[in-house]
């Protein structure tokens, strides 16, 4: 005899994860995977988390190349060294 599924209200949900567990599992699967695509955590409509495999063009893990260096902010423009009477004369200043 085949066992029938219990009614929807009595079913136990399998594979329920927290965000931290889903992210850890996705990280583990990405480390083991050599194929196309990536594993990622996804929120379900029931506010649980699951691990999904995303496959498509341009999806893949990239390894960082080189060092990340932030550029220094540009210095402010120096003030005009000319005397004030000569600073705003057209065509070199406001008309």
């Amino acid at each position: 005899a085949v066992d029938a599924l219990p009614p929807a209200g009595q079913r136990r949900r399998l594979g329920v994860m927290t965000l931290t567990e889903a992210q850890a599992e996705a990280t583990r699967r990405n480390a083991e995977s050599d194929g196309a695509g990536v594993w990622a955590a996804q929120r379900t409509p029931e506010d649980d988390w699951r691990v999904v495999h995303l496959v498509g063009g341009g999806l893949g893990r990239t390894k960082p190349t080189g060092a990340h260096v932030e550029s220094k902010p540009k210095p402010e423009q120096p003030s005009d060294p000319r005397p004030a009477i000569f600073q705003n004369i057209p065509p070199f200043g406001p008309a």
Side-chain angles (χ1 to χ4, degrees):
V2 176
D3 292 331
L5 288 175
Q10 297 176 359
R11 288 185 194 157
R12 183 169 176 254
R13 294 191 342 224
L14 299 175
V16 176
M17 296 182 181
T18 65
L19 170 60
T20 305
E21 292 169 339
Q23 288 175 334
E25 180 65 14
T27 301
R28 183 188 69 78
R29 290 185 184 187
N30 282 322
E32 291 177 356
S33 177
D34 291 331
V38 294
W39 292 93
Q42 180 187 41
R43 178 179 255 160
T44 66
E46 295 84 21
D47 285 332
D48 294 323
W49 291 89
R50 65 181 174 188
V51 178
V52 294
H53 191 222
L54 305 172
V55 180
L59 290 176
R61 292 283 174 193
T62 57
K63 295 187 179 186
T65 57
H68 175 75
V69 179
E70 292 187 22
S71 61
K72 295 181 182 178
K74 292 184 178 180
E76 293 182 22
Q77 288 287 344
S79 60
D80 192 342
R82 299 176 294 170
I85 196 165
F86 297 110
Q87 288 181 9
N88 293 324
I89 299 175
F92 305 109

